Amino acid sequence: FYQYFEDKADLFVEVMVEISKRKMVYVQPVLDRTEEYGLFGLLKDLVKAGVEFGMNDPEAFQIAKGLSASKTLDLLTFVKDFKKKIYERVEITEEMIFAKAIQNSLEWGEIDLRYSMETIITYSSKIMESMSEMYWHHVAAQGEIHSGDKILDEMVHFLRYGLSSTNKPG
């Protein structure tokens, strides 16, 4: 084991890099069109691409999910120290994923100018994780990718407009 890996966390990174590469097959077509997206459309299509990956490569999806739920790895340390390594290995960053869509949304008046790019990226990334989890559970229960479209639309609407009854579109 130690001939190939420094420790268990190093193995974790290697497995997650391989799974990330497999997932990129589904995500890359969305990323190739980031010039066209605002933040909300990008989040929606990335979630759909991720769930499509999970449906078509369930073994990799379950391994990633299992590793993410590990009780033996310090996940806070992982996120802090190893997430960057994974992004470097798959040659992508959250900034690369979200920056143009956020800039478009700012220009289009879809999001508030008072928030920093860092805040929007961090929040969007966390929200996307929650959206993916909820969407995945709905799609898995129904067994068909488009069965979750309504719930995904609701989540994007919630992100965009919040809970306030006075904060409606148009």
Side-chain angles (χ1 to χ4, degrees):
F1 176 86
Y2 290 107
Q3 181 179 352
Y4 300 102
F5 307 103
E6 290 180 31
D7 53 24
K8 189 170 25 175
D10 189 39
L11 171 63
F12 183 92
V13 169
E14 290 300 320
V15 170
M16 293 302 287
V17 164
E18 183 57 35
I19 291 170
S20 295
K21 287 178 181 177
R22 289 163 74 167
K23 185 176 181 179
M24 286 302 292
V25 170
Y26 297 88
V27 173
Q28 193 61 54
V30 176
L31 297 180
D32 288 344
R33 298 180 15 243
T34 55
E35 295 288 322
E36 305 168 18
Y37 283 104
L39 178 61
F40 305 110
L42 178 66
L43 288 173
K44 185 177 175 179
D45 284 357
L46 284 174
V47 167
K48 281 184 163 187
V51 169
E52 186 178 358
F53 155 72
M55 290 183 75
N56 291 320
D57 196 343
E59 184 177 89
F61 180 80
Q62 289 302 323
I63 290 169
K65 193 172 181 179
L67 287 173
S68 297
S70 172
K71 302 289 186 214
T72 59
L73 285 171
D74 178 355
L75 290 180
L76 292 176
T77 300
F78 168 74
V79 169
K80 181 180 167 201
D81 297 337
F82 299 107
K83 190 175 183 180
K84 183 179 177 186
K85 286 183 184 177
I86 292 171
Y87 279 139
E88 286 173 357
R89 296 279 303 281
V90 294
E91 299 175 349
I92 196 161
T93 65
E94 288 178 330
E95 289 80 13
M96 290 168 65
I97 294 170
F98 292 114
K100 182 57 183 168
I102 291 169
Q103 189 61 43
N104 286 345
S105 285
L106 287 168
E107 290 172 11
W108 300 339
E110 292 180 336
I111 56 179
D112 198 320
L113 291 169
R114 68 182 156 190
Y115 302 113
S116 71
M117 184 72 79
E118 180 183 13
T119 297
I120 296 169
I121 289 171
T122 301
Y123 185 72
S124 297
S125 179
K126 294 297 179 195
I127 290 294
M128 192 172 75
E129 288 174 21
S130 296
M131 289 169 66
S132 295
E133 186 74 20
M134 192 170 173
Y135 187 66
W136 172 256
H137 285 298
H138 190 79
V139 168
Q142 300 296 318
E144 202 273 312
I145 187 90
H146 296 292
S147 66
D149 288 354
K150 183 179 185 299
I151 198 151
L152 185 57
D153 288 339
E154 288 176 359
M155 289 184 286
V156 170
H157 186 275
F158 176 80
L159 177 61
R160 189 173 193 166
Y161 301 109
L163 288 174
S164 172
S165 63
T166 60
N167 194 12
K168 296 180 182 172

